Structure formats: structure tokens, C-alpha cells
Amino acid sequence: MMKRGWKRWTAAALTAAMAAGLLAGCGSDKSAQTGSAAETTKNGSTTEAAKEGTTAGDSKEEPVQMSFLYSRTSAEVDDNAGVVKMIEDRFNIDMKGFYVDANNFEQNLNVKFAGGEMPDALVVDTPAQLATYVEGGIIGELPIELIREKAPNFAKCADANDDGSLWSTMMYKGKNYGVGNPMNVIPMAMFWNKDWLDKLGLDVPETLEEYEEVLTAFVEQDPDGNGKKDTAGMAERSFGAVFGAFGLRCVTGNTPGFVVEEMQLGEDNIPFFPYIRPEAKQALEVLHRWYEKGIIDKEFITGENHGGYSWLSHPFMNGQIGLTSAQPRHYFAYSEDTSDQDNWGICLKEMKAVNPEANIVAGPAPVGPEGKSGTEAWSKVGHLTCLTTQAVSDPRKVDAFLAMLDAYYSDPDFMELSNYGLEGKHFKNTEHGRIRLIDGTDLRKEGVLQVDFDDTVLYAKEMNPEKTAFGKSITGNGYYRFNTPATEEFSNVVATLDTLTEQAYFDIITGEKPLDYFDTFVEAFKKAGGEAAEKAVQKVYAENLASMQK
């Protein structure tokens, strides 16, 4: 069995490398926008720019250079692009993209950090990653009082959507290091090859048993009609739905392997590691049986994405498997009509390019033996946006960042510009809402999605009401990401736990280890720091909640 230790650096090694390198009810009432913007920048460098609709570009000060890394699909910007100029003029910045090669993204980013290169603003995956970056001198403090003062519209929306964890998410050792955004969260959807279902006369399955029947037919009944037994049912992106049938959140995401750092929040509001729960053993038993039957692609360990846009599933689009899982928008915009090109998400566009006749259909996550079901869902507190130590050392960069944040929560025009760009060039308006004409890296080169706080609750209401309603209609229960609070006990061992879990899970699924090896794995997990990390996370999470409720 292949080893997975290359996937992530350990937190200790990363911190050492970075240290060495660095040492040498919210709404959008337009009538209130001008006043709100003026309040946002009170006592700040952009005060005059916010008054009476003037722009920061009217300031006598030279623009301050700011670089952004808000996505793994990153790109340097075209300085002459229209969107770039509009954002630069409004906030008196010189906007730059911070490019990192998406292949082995984390390793490539860490190399830049170790060499002293960093963007001004970036998104971290988890608070645990935040701890590593804070300790390594990458992320700078951003006090909550300053955020409230200079981004009041954001603060209003955050307060209205805070279940107790939003403001505490970016806390580390008593200080705040960024902003978590209240997100409109839609769980992953299950997408089926409709042509295969139709050819075999099968309905979309609903229970775990029905899933097994349909997926077995995909293996044994030649759904692609080529006379060869060369098709499988699914690969690793659908594992989450199997674990969901047993009440657990399992994440494989858009990269191969299991994301152990994303813990689960129990119904008792206590976080835990789902990968060592007894129910996980039940899910692994199913996955092993499916692997033995050929339901699971034998190459699942390498992942479903083999290049390009990270959410592409190459075995699905190439007709090698009949089921995958992704966000609804990755395949459909506003309905399941595959005949309407305006409705194609980026993954369906790629699939249609390979096979123009391809048709897909969404279905529910499988219901397990005790009536449980669901897929992974991203966090309700998402897009964890930080400023680097480079940025917080310049008050003008802090002012500009908070002005952008507040505009995103008060001005629909800025939401549209930063996310969709210019009508006719980057998107078009239809009866179903805005439809992108350009995707991915090409958009970011044009300055679109460079300053982006993602699909917030307000953004979903203002920009995508129909698409939001459709996405929710084809998904069910979501096991939401728990933003694990930053603790040294967790960050120091999570890479080890990740490798340990992946190796054990791969071995059990493929049969290299018997199912009962799970019990040995659990003990090894706990002794490797998992037990102490879980207790530390539970303690800090409870303390953070208590501190924010005072």
C-alpha cells in the first residue's frame, strides 16, 4: 500500500521552516450605503473617499499595493483589466494576485512562506492551520474591536448569524486573527450518470442497500455498452455519503485522502474525531465489501481529480464510474436541465466537452440502517480570511481590507463586481440570474474572485436566490464542517493523525488489513496524540464560547 506521508508537512516542520525563512438581520439597504461606508472608515485613511459616493482614488496618497490569495485556483492579475482598475480606484490600492501552483498547493505555498514571500490577504482552511501560521509569523492580529469599528455592516450580519461560534472561530491564545464569514451552506449533492441508469432500467437509489444494487449493476451489466467489464460504481468522493449513512462526517473533498483535521460537532455541542467512532467501522465494512465487488474504482487512492479545475472528476466525466459527489453548482446552476448550456456548471461543461451526449441526474444521499443520511457540508462559518504580518504592519492595508469587507456586506454592486465581473464580458443576466461566461483562472486574471468573501448568507440572498433554492432542493442533510479551534495539542499532531488514518483506512478498504484492524488503529490514533488533541479542542472550544457570551 502506498504511503501518504508526503501529503502534508507536519506542523512542527512547517513552523520551523517558516520561522527560518522569515527571520533573516443583515441586509443591503442602498439608502444607508454611503453613510455606512463613511462610518466604516471613521478615523481611517479612506474616510473622505467614502463620503458622498467619492472613491479612494481621489485621495492624494499613492495607492497601496495589496496582494490576495483567496483560492487554490490562484492567478496573477492583469493590471489593465477593467475590474482590476475599478476595485483599485474604489479602495486606492494596487491590486495583485499571489500565484501559487495548484499542483501540490500546500507544499508550494509553504515553500514561498519559508522563503519570506507572502500575500497580504489569504484564506486559511481551518483554525488549526491558523495556529501554525500564527506561530510561524505568517498571520497578524486583527482585533475584533477594530473590525466592529471599521466594518459595521459585516459586524451586523455576523451578529445576526452567530450561533456562538462565529466570532470565536479566529481566536488563538486570546487574540483574534481574521474574520469568519456567515455562509450560505449547501451540502454536497450526489450525481449519477443518467445514461447508465436509463440503459439498465434503474431508478435513482435512496437507501444504502439500493445504492449497492445499482452500483453493482454498473459493474456487472456493461452500462456503457462497449462489451467490456471496465466500469466501476464510484470512487472516493462518494465515501462521505456512506459514512453519512452512519451519522458521521467524512471528508475526502477535492483532494485524495481523508481530511482528519475537520472534526465533527456532536448534537451535544461537543466536538469529536469521527474517524475513530464505532460507526466508522460499520462504514468501512461497507466500503470494503464494495471494493471487493468492484464497485469502488481500484484507483480511488489517487483521487478523482487528475488535473485542471480541482472539482473535476475525471473518472466520472470519462465514463469510468457512474456516481460522484460535489457541490450542486459544480454541475447545475438552477435546474437539472442538461440541454440548457446556461445551466451547465464548470464540471458539466467539461463532461459535455468529452461526451456531448452525456446526461446526469442528482439523487439523495443513501439512508443507512438506522435512518441516518447526509453528505459533508462546508462550514456555516467559512472563508476564514486573514491578513499577514506583512499587511497588518501597514495601517492603510488594514483600512483597505476592512473597507472591502464592509462593502461586501453593504453594496450589491460590489458583490457583483468582485464575484461576477462585468456584464457582457464576464457574465450575462438571464431569467434564472447571472451566468458566468468565463471560469476559473481566466476570471482571476481579470480581477474577478480576487477580493472575495464567498457565498455569504447576504450574497446568496442578493446574488443567487434561485440558484440557492435549487441547490437546497437536490440535497438533504449536511454534516457541517466544524472549525476546530487552534490548539498546539491539535496542530502538533494532526499531520501524523492524518497519515495514520489514511493508511489504516486505505488498508481496511482494500483488504490489506482485516476489518478488526480498526480497533488497533483507534488505539494507535489515541496514543499518537489524538486523545489529548480531542480533549484540548473540546476545552478550548468551550472556553471560546464562554468568553464570547460574556
Side-chain angles (χ1 to χ4, degrees):
M1 178 59 64
M2 66 184 291
K3 299 291 183 181
R4 305 289 300 182
W6 54 266
K7 184 180 173 188
R8 298 177 179 86
W9 290 13
T10 65
L14 171 59
T15 299
M18 290 188 298
L22 293 173
L23 205 59
C26 63
S28 56
D29 183 358
K30 284 203 171 188
S31 66
Q33 286 168 16
T34 301
S36 296
E39 287 180 39
T40 299
T41 56
K42 184 175 64 176
N43 300 323
S45 62
T46 55
T47 302
E48 294 303 319
K51 293 179 181 178
E52 303 300 330
T54 61
T55 68
D58 297 326
S59 170
K60 294 180 180 180
E61 291 183 291
E62 288 296 315
V64 60
Q65 187 176 109
M66 291 192 70
S67 57
F68 299 86
L69 180 62
Y70 279 3
S71 170
R72 295 182 181 224
T73 309
S74 63
E76 297 173 349
V77 300
D78 177 356
D79 290 333
N80 297 314
V83 172
V84 173
K85 291 296 184 185
M86 293 172 73
I87 294 176
E88 287 180 334
D89 290 345
R90 175 165 182 171
F91 299 103
N92 196 28
I93 66 170
D94 177 9
M95 186 168 76
K96 301 295 182 184
F98 190 84
Y99 175 72
V100 178
D101 190 337
N103 294 314
N104 297 322
F105 176 87
E106 290 181 2
Q107 290 92 331
N108 293 331
L109 176 59
N110 291 335
V111 168
K112 285 181 177 288
F113 284 161
E117 295 181 66
M118 63 176 74
D120 291 301
L122 78 157
V123 170
V124 297
D125 291 336
T126 65
Q129 186 183 58
L130 170 70
T132 302
Y133 286 168
V134 170
E135 295 292 345
I138 299 296
I139 301 298
E141 183 184 1
L142 189 62
I144 289 177
E145 296 78 9
L146 184 65
I147 297 171
R148 286 191 175 279
E149 175 192 351
K150 298 201 171 188
N153 288 293
F154 163 77
K156 177 183 176 182
C157 196
D159 288 341
N161 292 276
D162 189 3
D163 64 357
S165 63
L166 192 149
W167 282 105
S168 66
T169 292
M170 305 302 284
M171 299 290 292
Y172 179 60
K173 292 185 177 180
K175 296 181 179 180
N176 187 71
Y177 288 93
V179 293
N181 290 268
M183 306 303 289
N184 169 62
V185 186
I186 297 176
M188 298 294 169
M190 307 303 295
F191 291 104
W192 295 87
N193 184 318
K194 187 176 185 298
D195 299 318
W196 287 13
L197 291 172
D198 292 346
K199 183 177 187 299
L200 302 181
L202 298 170
D203 295 324
V204 174
E206 297 182 357
T207 67
L208 203 58
E209 292 79 6
E210 290 171 352
Y211 259 65
E212 186 165 347
E213 292 174 4
V214 170
L215 293 170
T216 300
F218 284 175
V219 175
E220 297 178 349
Q221 298 181 27
D222 190 25
D224 60 357
N226 68 354
K228 301 177 182 179
K229 193 174 182 179
D230 58 356
T231 52
M234 58 179 244
E236 94 286 347
R237 286 189 179 170
S238 298
F239 287 178
V242 176
F243 279 82
F246 296 94
L248 295 180
R249 171 182 168 81
C250 166
V251 181
T252 53
N254 60 2
T255 56
F258 298 91
V259 187
V260 176
E261 52 264 42
E262 294 194 9
M263 297 173 68
Q264 185 169 341
L265 190 63
E267 294 180 1
D268 56 3
N269 207 33
I270 297 176
F272 64 91
F273 282 114
Y275 295 92
I276 58 174
R277 287 295 178 99
E279 297 86 349
K281 187 176 183 179
Q282 295 177 274
L284 288 171
E285 182 178 18
V286 172
L287 291 176
H288 171 62
R289 183 172 72 247
W290 288 8
Y291 182 85
E292 289 294 303
K293 295 178 71 172
I295 286 174
I296 297 174
D297 183 2
K298 298 300 182 184
E299 303 299 322
F300 79 90
I301 293 174
T302 63
E304 293 186 37
N305 178 258
H306 303 152
Y309 181 64
S310 59
W311 276 98
L312 292 174
S313 170
H314 290 89
F316 185 65
M317 61 192 283
N318 291 327
Q320 296 167 291
I321 62 174
L323 172 68
T324 193
S325 182
Q327 280 280 295
R329 62 181 171 81
H330 289 136
Y331 287 89
F332 294 127
Y334 49 79
S335 74
E336 292 187 79
D337 181 6
T338 57
S339 67
D340 184 356
Q341 294 190 28
D342 286 345
N343 188 40
W344 297 353
I346 187 170
C347 292
L348 185 55
K349 287 179 182 177
E350 292 284 345
M351 190 173 186
K352 288 282 192 178
V354 174
N355 178 10
E357 303 303 317
N359 287 294
I360 63 174
V361 63
V367 178
E370 296 182 2
K372 297 177 181 178
S373 70
T375 56
E376 72 158 291
W378 294 334
S379 176
K380 292 183 179 180
V381 180
H383 220 66
L384 311 181
T385 312
C386 307
L387 293 178
T388 62
T389 50
Q390 168 182 286
V392 298
S393 66
D394 187 337
R396 292 183 62 205
K397 291 185 178 182
V398 176
D399 280 357
F401 170 78
L402 292 176
M404 293 175 201
L405 175 67
D406 208 55
Y408 202 86
Y409 283 84
S410 60
D411 184 356
D413 290 338
F414 179 64
M415 289 185 215
E416 181 179 81
L417 179 69
S418 59
N419 271 274
Y420 282 95
L422 302 174
E423 184 176 3
K425 180 177 179 62
H426 305 111
F427 77 94
K428 65 178 179 180
N429 270 310
T430 73
E431 61 178 317
H432 300 290
R434 300 165 186 80
I435 301 296
R436 285 197 171 102
L437 302 175
I438 303 175
D439 286 302
T441 302
D442 291 335
L443 267 181
R444 288 177 169 82
K445 289 178 180 177
E446 293 278 317
V448 186
L449 297 174
Q450 289 285 6
V451 181
D452 173 30
F453 297 96
D454 211 7
D455 194 6
T456 67
V457 291
L458 183 58
Y459 176 89
K461 175 183 176 182
E462 293 285 351
M463 298 288 108
N464 292 321
E466 183 174 347
K467 296 176 185 177
T468 299
F470 165 71
K472 291 181 177 179
S473 74
I474 63 169
T475 56
N477 176 52
Y479 295 103
Y480 297 96
R481 173 188 294 166
F482 169 69
N483 285 313
T484 309
T487 67
E488 291 183 23
E489 294 90 341
F490 181 94
S491 60
N492 287 343
V493 301
V494 67
T496 298
L497 300 177
D498 186 278
T499 301
L500 186 66
T501 302
E502 289 184 347
Q503 193 67 59
Y505 271 41
F506 290 147
D507 285 350
I508 292 171
I509 291 170
T510 60
E512 291 199 19
K513 299 284 188 183
L515 181 63
D516 285 342
Y517 177 73
F518 177 82
D519 303 319
T520 302
F521 151 70
V522 171
E523 289 305 311
F525 185 99
K526 291 179 178 179
K527 290 179 180 179
E531 186 170 36
E534 188 174 71
K535 289 179 179 178
V537 166
Q538 292 170 349
K539 180 176 181 291
V540 172
Y541 178 64
E543 290 174 348
N544 285 349
L545 287 181
S547 68
M548 298 307 298
Q549 291 169 358
K550 290 180 180 179

